[in-house]
Amino acid sequence: MNFLSKVKYVFLTCLTTSYLNAQISSLDEVVNQTFCDQSAKKTMMPDGKSFAIQNNSRILQIDIATGKEIAVLFDENTVKGEKVKSVDDFEICQQGKQMLILSKEEKTGKLSKKGHYFVYDIQRKRAQKLMDTTALQRDPVFSPNGRNIIFAIENNLFLKKLDYDGIVIPITKEQKQTKLYHGVTDLMYEEEFDISNLMAWSSDNRFFAFVTLDCSNVQQYSIVNRTQFTTANKTIDLNPQIESFPYPRLGREIETYTLNVYDSYYKTIKKVDLPKDDTEYIPRITWTSDPETFAVFTLNKQQKIMRMYQINCKSQLFNLLYEEREEQWFDYKSLKHIHFLPDNKFTLLSERDGFRHLYLYNANGILNHQITNGNFDVTDVYGVDTLRNIIYYQAAKKNCLN
């Protein structure tokens, strides 16, 4: 996938604004928020020259340069196969041939959501259920070639193979009452680390790494949930409900984890035994450029020590690739800005000199050089153009408001 396919949401918002500006015909339409797109889902297309945006019951492909409609990718009225009655969200695979459509969405946490997912073939205009069940699915993840999908139902993971008539294979088989979370995160991880799943595919589409969280020793936390819903222009208050869920409080037991590697060819799961000292949390996992190795990032309980381990998915052997220690607190948001280059070098953000700057490391975890420097902070990294060796980033060079 080229760089434009990884551009941030803020850039897409600008593109959408240009697209809407091309259709505004009067000031009244602006004042009345006719073209307000606060809830409009949008994503870049793999070609890097267009983006997809939801427009009511349709999903359109829009040219970036002209702001004009190129094609109708999806239309509820022309779908073959399974009927998709509503579109709450969508995701397009890297090849641009398949689309995941979420219908009847239910929010389950800060980031997590579940519902009925459909796999839509864009060229054939045919939809099929992700799984023929009444149970709601969450966090589906396309394989890089778009031919396999890992997803979760309740506490278990499933694999859907699109090349084999959409056959679904169970990966884990836990009982419903268990407090194990395979691949997906609990409420604490969502609140603390802004992540709803800990799953990653290898670039060759064979291996799949995931984390299992065990909340058996975590005490239950209860809240009063007062829900409202609107029907026929009338808001109805439901009786307050007491909801309980595992959530660690200060000084109490936290989740334990197991790191796993699933081999989709042999259909086996192997565990990786990381060191337990100062590795209480796993806030992120990602695959490197090597299809046989992936990276796991750990934090200690005080969130002052961050370690990055490189793991071989076949042997389960690992080595410590990078470590950073902070006196006060390591900002977990920096982890999403670690990029692996084609030669397995990687870039990362660090505040070691008092400012947050970009650094380049070689494949063995040895510092190559500092990329940015000066009395300013790098506040965001939009992406890396590996063909031209360019990093697109955001920085506060004059003051914190820039």
Side-chain angles (χ1 to χ4, degrees), residues 54 79 81 104 112 138 212 220 234 280 290 325 367:
Q54 182 180 347
V79 175
K104 298 182 179 180
S112 59
R138 62 171 286 189
T212 297
Q220 294 290 103
K234 181 181 179 181
E280 281 83 0
D290 180 356
R325 294 173 179 259
L367 178 63

Side-chain angles (χ1 to χ4, degrees), residues 154-156 172-180 182:
E154 297 292 347
N155 303 42
N156 288 306
T172 60
K173 300 178 181 179
E174 299 294 341
Q175 297 297 320
K176 187 176 181 179
Q177 295 80 9
T178 185
K179 292 185 179 180
L180 296 178
H182 294 293

Side-chain angles (χ1 to χ4, degrees), residues 169-232:
I169 301 171
I171 296 176
T172 60
K173 300 178 181 179
E174 299 294 341
Q175 297 297 320
K176 187 176 181 179
Q177 295 80 9
T178 185
K179 292 185 179 180
L180 296 178
Y181 293 77
H182 294 293
V184 296
T185 61
D186 64 349
L187 185 60
M188 192 283 293
Y189 264 74
E190 284 195 55
E191 295 289 339
E192 289 288 324
F193 303 122
D194 293 330
I195 191 167
S196 64
N197 70 72
L198 288 166
M199 303 184 280
W201 278 99
S202 63
S203 58
D204 63 359
N205 311 284
R206 174 177 170 178
F207 296 98
F208 183 81
F210 67 95
V211 174
T212 297
L213 296 177
D214 187 351
C215 297
S216 301
N217 296 324
V218 179
Q219 290 188 353
Q220 294 290 103
Y221 184 77
S222 299
I223 62 171
V224 178
N225 185 10
R226 183 185 295 274
T227 329
Q228 289 186 344
F229 68 93
T230 302
T231 178

Side-chain angles (χ1 to χ4, degrees), residues 1 5 12 41-47 50-54 59-62 71-74 89-102 117-123 140-146 149:
M1 187 187 301
S5 300
L12 285 179
K41 166 69 177 180
K42 56 194 80 77
T43 186
M44 288 295 300
M45 293 295 291
D47 62 6
S50 61
F51 66 96
I53 182 171
Q54 182 180 347
I59 298 173
L60 309 177
Q61 183 178 359
I62 307 300
V72 177
L73 302 177
F74 172 85
D89 201 355
F90 71 92
E91 178 185 349
I92 300 174
C93 72
Q94 293 183 16
Q95 287 69 34
K97 297 179 180 180
Q98 305 282 350
M99 182 189 302
L100 273 167
I101 297 175
L102 172 60
Y117 279 89
F118 295 85
V119 184
Y120 180 69
D121 189 310
I122 297 176
Q123 185 175 3
V141 181
F142 271 117
S143 61
N145 62 8
I149 304 172

Side-chain angles (χ1 to χ4, degrees), residues 107 146 315 381 393:
K107 293 289 290 183
S315 66
V381 180
Y393 67 92

